[in-house]
Amino acid sequence: MTASASPASGHDGLLAEARTLLPEIVAVRRRLHRAPELGLRLPRTQRAVLDALDGLDLTVTTGERLSSVTAVLEGDRPGPTVLLRADMDALPQQEETGLEFASEVPGAMHACGHDLHTAMLVGAARLLAARRARLAGRVVFMFQPAEESDGGAQYMIDEGVLDTPDGAAIVAAFALHVTTRFAGGTLHLRPGPTFAAADRIRLTVRGRSGHASSPHQALDPVPVACEIVQALQTMATRTVDVFDPAVVTIASVHAGTTTNIIPETAELHGTFRTLTPRTRHRVREGIVRVARHVAAAHGATVDIELPEGYPPTVNDDTVTATVHETAAGLLGADRVHRLPQPFMGAEDFSYVLRRVPGTMAFLGARPPGTDGEDTPDCHSNRVVFDEPALATGAALHAAVALRYLAT
């Protein structure tokens, strides 16, 4: 069987076996959590992944411009390719969880669950390597740096992660993202846009410096910058369709050096997030128009930079339906849920999904006995994930690959 395999393919005993592997998967996760690394270069993380994959008879390559790992499992018979992806980088935050395996690196923390993502994919590699004889095709395990910063997925694409040696089609790409929004071991997904595009805002308002006692002899950029911030919020809520949303956030405001000098400039940095090309273009134009005209109204000028960030993450309808059905067979239908709306965060798995059909799903990892509304989640320096969910994630990765490749 190929992509049309029956929903039951590969489910027998898979979750139970993943649970027996849980101590090993947890050990990988904790090794990564203690030693978080940022950006494109993750040598200790890469070493941990290579160590964890050792002995599985995979074809393993590493990146040239980044510390990526690509591991390929060839089945016993030819067939299509399934790609499974995990991101590996951490965030520049000081951990405050109090965990016994907390980060040992000052100012760095696995606060977005990438340590879990990586450990789950290692677990999936072990599950699938034990089932090589049942596979018609190949599985590509994509361990990716720099999701949080530099778009490591695109670097890996440029270095050939989507290129198969015989040109066999990649029929499905799959990724999981943990979250404490949902109960541990539950899966949540949707077809279509799932994450937003996230483009950056860099505005420099230029006035004229002077003494704080004589603002009339200067041109103060600070109130101009404040007015621009407010006007951008009005623009976003009054010119954008609420059913095709946009989020404009100014997250950094900087001006001046001391209390008695009106500064020459005021800098505003932030992001704008959208789900469709039309609204992305409309908001970009709106930011330029508002910033220029508000500045001009006060006799100031503004430098505008709006560099493009990650595109929207758009899940393929057919692959999403297949993953939903596969997960329901593995976990039970009551533990698989359709997301009612997208998240306005951004993900560079979007670059993969622009090239091949696939889906990203959310794996619930909320610790038992905690309330989803108040539980710290991704990007909090106090986030704690439920480690038993690692077995569920490893089994899900393996089940999706088996659904497409098992004979």
Side-chain angles (χ1 to χ4, degrees), residues 85 153 310-314 347-355:
R85 176 268 204 171
Y310 300 160
T313 301
V314 182
E347 244 289 344
D348 75 344
F349 192 55
S350 54
Y351 293 120
V352 174
L353 297 187
R354 292 202 300 186
R355 294 278 302 273

Side-chain angles (χ1 to χ4, degrees), residues 1 73-80 131-138 166 405-407:
M1 284 181 285
L73 172 64
E74 294 285 354
D76 273 7
R77 286 165 300 286
R131 291 164 170 77
R132 182 192 310 273
R134 296 177 54 192
L135 300 180
R138 68 172 58 85
D166 55 4
L405 305 180
T407 58

Side-chain angles (χ1 to χ4, degrees), residues 52-141:
L53 297 177
D54 189 42
L56 293 183
D57 192 20
L58 307 172
T59 302
V60 178
T61 57
T62 56
E64 296 178 4
R65 295 186 294 164
L66 72 173
S67 301
S68 61
V69 177
T70 301
V72 180
L73 172 64
E74 294 285 354
D76 273 7
R77 286 165 300 286
T81 299
V82 171
L83 181 142
L84 305 175
R85 176 268 204 171
D87 39 11
M88 304 191 296
D89 56 319
L91 284 162
Q93 292 178 273
Q94 184 65 39
E95 182 163 353
E96 300 290 346
T97 62
L99 293 169
E100 60 178 307
F101 53 90
S103 170
E104 297 171 358
V105 180
M109 176 193 175
H110 271 294
C112 199
H114 295 187
D115 52 334
L116 283 86
H117 301 170
T118 301
M120 289 188 297
L121 195 55
V122 166
R126 295 183 184 184
L127 292 169
L128 289 168
R131 291 164 170 77
R132 182 192 310 273
R134 296 177 54 192
L135 300 180
R138 68 172 58 85
V139 184
V140 176
F141 302 95

